[in-house]
Amino acid sequence: MKKIRQWALRLLPALLSCLVGSAWAAEVSDSLKEMKTIGHCTTYTYNYPSKNAAGEDVVLSSALFAWLPEEPEETDSIESLHIYSHFTITEDDECPSSELNLKESALFAVLLKDKYALEMDPAQDFISHAVIIAPDFEGYGATKDVPHPYLSQELTAQQVMDAVEYGLELYKKHVDDKRALPFKSDWRSFGFGFSQGGAVALAVQRYMEEQGLDEELRYRGTICGDGPYDLIATLRYYVEDDGDSYGQQTDHRKGVNTMPMVVPMIIKGMIDTHPDMKDHALEDYLSQQFLDTGIMEWLESKEDKINDIHGKWYDQLQEGLDAGERQYTKEQMAELFESPKENRVWAHLDKLFTPAFYEYMSDASNFDTVPTEKGDACKDLHRALADNSVATGWEPKHRIQFVHSKGDMVVPYGNYLSFREAHPDGEDTLYKIDDQDTCDHIDMGTTFYLSLTTTGTYGKYFQWIDEDGATGIQPIDNGKWKMDHYADGWYDLQGRKLSGKPTQKGIYIYKGKKQIIK
């Protein structure tokens, strides 16, 4: 924790400036604020200092969920830190720190060994005896009045890690005051998330490894559910797929987007954060008719859930649209939207995009390489999308468990394939894929989160990731494993010396290094 304490000390001037008056909209917290307790899960909120895309000081907000039995025993301690990145939201009340948000609170209460949940295998106590840090992301919570930098991966990863490091310091204060359980000497950390959160979780792993924080936080790896790791592959799927990609039949058709608010969120995120996009506007990419529906005002207000937005579009499809200077008949709205079922709306990309951008996206040859010349709206966006890919451009050091449905029509399976293509030698050793489900995105999200409440698949994901960390081999010194003791012979992950080279599949220690027996 030495680096983390040093990091906190560097923030002292910022903390003092908050006390005497600051231009920041919110104040940095000097302690955790208890919000609610469900079973063995106590929820806290806090504000922390970070930076925005312009490099300016900003105060963001986060939730922290901690395992705390009603009557702790002397030996009880926190065994794991889980870094959680939330899925795409459009309403501020859905962010993790909101008092009105019960989704994560209820799920994490069960994950943190709630008394009403099924009993976990004691071997999985490291999953449930945990602290979960769940940042709101910029644009929600304390910063709900500013734009959300959607899928700006490096920026969001940096802000998430600021939440983790500051949250741990505040949690330590509660430990010192005997209001929370201490961390076990050999604690470890994991990351997980679904959809937008899946991509952010992967970006967080990359950021930690690049900044050397993975060792300090004893990081094991990441569980990623249906994440947009490759934004170009995602948009190209909308243009090209005719319901038969990846060997799975779906209702998708070429040129259709089944969750239309995702597209403007992606483009707006690039415009707000990528340096090559500063001279471009939404009107360069999105049609006037689509913008006239009110989508950007709804996203900016952060008062509507995704289903609410679909309901407004459904009404426009039934009644036409009066946009002040421009009016659109029901027939014209039917050229932009279609409704496969009530209050569910899909969009036709040739009417959602401007003609120039639709033509660019429809030409596969444009995507043979990433353009380098600057100034063209389509090419600049292409480059911004590529720069925010977390599928390529790095070599992971820690394990990744992917969970992805081949039937996902919002975040297509091609996102995982992009990662696999970039790392062809690591499948089943460095990373694994669970692609047994064939449902669409929302149903897949339900499956992913409900698995938190069971002791089955999700626990196996954690255990597989944890194996690679060689838990229990030696005590940790300043966040680094001591391997010198194992200079000769073969050992299992519990530190027991074997009589010779093992024959069973698994991970072992040989001459101080992890070895995989297949």
Side-chain angles (χ1 to χ4, degrees):
M1 302 288 287
K2 183 177 180 182
K3 288 183 182 177
I4 296 175
R5 287 195 292 271
Q6 291 174 342
W7 178 89
L9 289 174
R10 291 198 299 271
L11 290 173
L12 187 57
L15 293 175
L16 293 175
S17 71
C18 273
L19 295 176
V20 299
S22 169
W24 291 340
E27 290 188 352
V28 174
S29 300
D30 58 7
S31 64
L32 296 174
K33 177 183 177 182
E34 185 171 337
M35 187 165 61
K36 67 186 79 169
T37 297
I38 304 177
H40 293 169
C41 174
T42 301
T43 305
Y44 306 91
T45 61
Y46 62 96
N47 295 337
Y48 65 96
S50 189
K51 299 286 186 180
N52 62 20
E56 301 165 337
D57 293 328
V58 63
V59 176
L60 306 179
S61 51
S62 179
L64 184 150
F65 304 83
W67 177 64
L68 183 63
E70 294 178 5
E71 298 181 2
E73 298 180 3
E74 289 187 7
T75 57
D76 284 340
S77 58
I78 299 298
E79 299 187 32
S80 296
L81 167 68
H82 302 320
I83 304 169
Y84 170 67
S85 300
H86 68 73
F87 51 85
T88 296
I89 60 175
T90 56
E91 183 189 41
D92 186 61
D93 288 341
E94 297 176 292
C95 71
S97 74
S98 170
E99 293 186 12
L100 298 177
N101 177 25
L102 297 177
K103 293 179 182 178
E104 278 90 357
S105 296
L107 285 168
F108 294 157
V110 177
L111 176 63
L112 300 186
K113 209 156 188 177
D114 182 85
K115 61 185 177 181
Y116 302 111
L118 295 174
E119 284 298 317
M120 279 189 166
D121 183 331
Q124 296 185 12
D125 277 349
F126 74 94
I127 304 173
S128 59
H129 294 180
V131 165
I132 303 171
I133 291 181
D136 291 333
F137 298 163
E138 184 179 5
Y140 296 102
T143 53
K144 66 179 181 180
D145 294 328
V146 305
H148 168 50
Y150 190 63
L151 294 176
S152 180
Q153 304 290 26
E154 183 175 2
L155 172 64
T156 305
Q158 172 193 325
Q159 293 175 342
V160 168
M161 288 311 303
D162 287 344
V164 170
E165 293 185 311
Y166 198 77
L168 287 177
E169 285 298 314
L170 296 183
Y171 183 82
K172 184 178 181 298
K173 286 186 177 182
H174 276 242
V175 174
D176 293 342
D177 294 340
K178 310 298 183 184
R179 290 183 289 166
L181 294 176
F183 274 73
K184 194 175 179 180
S185 61
D186 61 347
W187 65 277
R188 62 280 228 184
S189 65
F190 304 84
F192 71 100
F194 179 82
S195 190
Q196 175 186 6
V200 172
L202 197 59
V204 166
Q205 175 170 331
R206 180 180 67 180
Y207 183 84
M208 273 197 291
E209 293 176 354
E210 291 174 348
Q211 300 297 318
L213 294 172
D214 53 324
E215 291 189 9
E216 185 70 19
L217 294 172
R218 301 128 184 242
Y219 197 68
R220 293 293 193 267
T222 309
I223 301 172
C224 301
D226 283 37
Y229 322 114
D230 184 338
L231 298 180
I232 292 174
T234 299
L235 294 179
R236 290 284 296 145
Y237 168 88
Y238 300 155
V239 173
E240 287 195 328
D241 173 71
D242 212 21
D244 54 4
S245 296
Y246 322 121
Q248 176 65 41
Q249 292 294 318
T250 69
D251 292 331
H252 192 268
R253 300 190 314 282
K254 289 182 180 179
V256 170
N257 178 231
T258 62
M259 192 174 284
M261 75 283 301
V262 171
V263 172
M265 290 181 74
I266 291 174
I267 297 175
K268 182 68 161 55
M270 300 301 102
I271 290 174
D272 288 343
T273 61
H274 195 280
D276 294 347
M277 295 292 290
K278 62 181 183 299
D279 295 326
H280 302 303
L282 286 169
E283 288 78 6
D284 294 328
Y285 310 98
L286 303 177
S287 71
Q288 187 63 59
Q289 182 182 3
F290 182 63
L291 291 171
D292 280 345
T293 66
I295 177 58
M296 301 315 300
E297 290 81 4
W298 303 335
L299 293 175
E300 183 179 352
S301 73
K302 303 184 179 82
E303 295 177 353
D304 298 296
K305 291 183 173 66
I306 290 175
N307 285 341
D308 297 331
I309 293 174
H310 274 268
K312 291 182 178 183
W313 278 333
Y314 182 80
D315 291 342
Q316 293 175 357
L317 185 57
Q318 306 306 310
E319 302 168 6
L321 171 62
D322 183 352
E325 295 181 0
R326 290 171 291 275
Q327 288 79 40
Y328 303 91
T329 64
K330 291 190 295 182
E331 291 74 19
Q332 288 173 315
M333 294 307 295
E335 294 177 356
L336 173 61
F337 293 134
E338 65 176 85
S339 179
K341 58 182 179 181
E342 188 172 355
N343 287 335
R344 201 73 199 165
V345 172
W346 295 1
H348 298 280
L349 294 179
D350 62 340
K351 296 299 181 179
L352 184 151
F353 289 147
T354 61
F357 187 54
Y358 181 73
E359 181 180 357
Y360 185 88
M361 289 300 302
S362 300
D363 187 346
S365 66
N366 287 330
F367 298 91
D368 293 338
T369 60
V370 178
T372 57
E373 61 271 27
K374 300 180 181 181
D376 178 84
C378 295
K379 292 179 180 178
D380 286 346
L381 178 57
H382 182 169
R383 188 166 53 258
L385 296 171
D387 287 347
N388 281 282
S389 167
V390 288
T392 59
W394 65 300
E395 291 299 326
K397 300 177 183 177
H398 302 280
R399 285 185 165 183
I400 305 162
Q401 172 69 61
F402 290 101
V403 185
H404 212 118
S405 169
K406 291 183 178 180
D408 193 326
M409 298 187 294
V410 178
V411 185
Y413 187 71
N415 282 278
Y416 167 71
L417 297 182
S418 293
F419 183 91
R420 188 179 72 178
E421 182 179 353
H423 308 90
D425 299 327
E427 194 168 32
D428 294 328
T429 54
L430 178 63
Y431 61 92
K432 279 187 175 182
I433 179 65
D434 180 348
D435 56 7
Q436 299 305 303
D437 283 283
T438 58
C439 54
D440 200 5
H441 192 67
I442 293 176
D443 289 339
M444 188 62 200
T446 300
T447 298
F448 182 89
Y449 282 103
L450 287 180
S451 66
L452 288 172
T453 66
T454 70
T455 61
T457 302
Y458 205 83
K460 292 177 182 178
Y461 296 161
F462 272 108
Q463 288 179 317
W464 177 74
I465 289 173
D466 196 50
E467 286 176 359
D468 198 42
T471 303
I473 293 175
Q474 275 285 82
I476 293 177
D477 179 21
N478 291 329
K480 298 180 176 62
W481 291 103
K482 285 184 176 180
M483 304 297 290
D484 298 343
H485 176 72
Y486 301 95
D488 65 327
W490 288 85
Y491 294 79
D492 64 16
L493 294 184
Q494 284 68 50
R496 296 172 296 204
K497 189 171 184 178
L498 307 179
S499 59
K501 183 176 181 179
T503 57
Q504 293 185 343
K505 294 181 179 179
I507 299 175
Y508 301 88
I509 304 301
Y510 179 62
K511 293 185 177 181
K513 295 183 179 180
K514 294 189 289 292
Q515 302 287 337
I516 299 174
I517 302 297
K518 299 181 179 180

